[in-house]
Amino acid sequence: MKNINDPSEETKNQWENDPNNWIWGMFYYNPKDKRSYFPKRISEFGWHANYANPIFIVIIAFFVLIILAFIKNGR
């Protein structure tokens, strides 16, 4: 089901093809894009993450904390 606030396919393609939205050519950073993840051009290769999305930052922080907890408990 498509959300009425979702950008059009044309807008998504413009964002994804704009080199200004890519840091070092491999990290997608676009505050206008509200998607946390989106499929790569060839969907079999996985997903891209939007590093400008606050939800993605929370997910990454959660995984870092879990890894740090395992490291601390392993000593």
Side-chain angles (χ1 to χ4, degrees), residues 15-30 36-41 45-52 56:
W15 286 343
E16 293 170 17
N17 293 326
D18 184 358
N20 295 324
N21 292 334
W22 293 90
I23 299 171
W24 299 323
M26 57 187 200
F27 298 107
Y28 184 70
Y29 187 91
N30 184 359
S36 295
Y37 295 97
F38 59 96
K40 292 186 177 185
R41 289 185 183 133
F45 290 155
W47 295 77
H48 282 293
N50 184 2
Y51 288 85
F56 179 74

